Amino acid sequence: MSAFMKPHDAAGWATLLLAVIIILLGLPLVYMGAELAFLGGSLYYVACGLVVTAAGVLMAMGRPLGGLLYLGACAFTWLWALWEVGLDGWGLLPRVFGPTLLAVGVALCLPVLRRADHARATTVREVA
């Protein structure tokens, strides 16, 4: 049995595609965040990259926890950005625009993830 969800419709494929995009954005965030941290910079990028990558993997597995984890990372990103630049719109834009766009997609995918998780749990119960 595969650990990843098996999409059966367009919404399932869109969810899986979004999960892959999130993974592909999280991995460089971890690597480059580690480089920045070694130079004395913020650990935010490493921590956020790890959470975002884990969220993408969980979403690809059809787990709603992945979506909730990403939404939590996005909320944390907003708090970090507000702490760093205040209410300066031009300063906030590059820090929160992309993560917020992805968060809208993740929020729209939560029902698909819940259905996938329910189907997985039902299958596991039938096997047992």
Side-chain angles (χ1 to χ4, degrees):
M1 182 161 93
S2 174
F4 295 105
M5 64 184 278
K6 293 180 176 73
H8 299 290
D9 56 4
W13 283 106
T15 301
L16 186 58
L17 177 64
L18 182 60
V20 170
I21 290 170
I22 288 173
I23 292 167
L24 292 176
L25 291 173
L27 290 173
L29 197 56
V30 172
Y31 177 76
M32 290 185 268
E35 285 185 341
L36 182 64
F38 283 125
L39 295 173
S42 172
L43 288 174
Y44 161 79
Y45 297 101
V46 176
C48 192
L50 289 170
V51 170
V52 166
T53 303
V57 170
L58 286 169
M59 285 178 63
M61 294 172 67
R63 305 287 175 97
L65 177 62
L68 298 175
L69 199 58
Y70 182 83
L71 294 176
C74 186
F76 183 71
T77 297
W78 267 94
L79 292 173
W80 165 78
L82 287 168
W83 171 78
E84 191 168 73
V85 297
L87 295 174
D88 174 27
W90 288 114
L92 284 173
L93 186 67
R95 289 169 174 82
V96 298
F97 183 72
T100 302
L101 277 181
L102 287 175
V104 170
V106 168
L108 292 172
C109 289
L110 282 176
V112 176
L113 292 170
R114 286 194 179 109
R115 279 195 306 270
D117 193 47
H118 178 70
R120 182 190 55 78
T122 303
T123 304
V124 168
R125 278 190 220 119
E126 289 173 358
V127 171

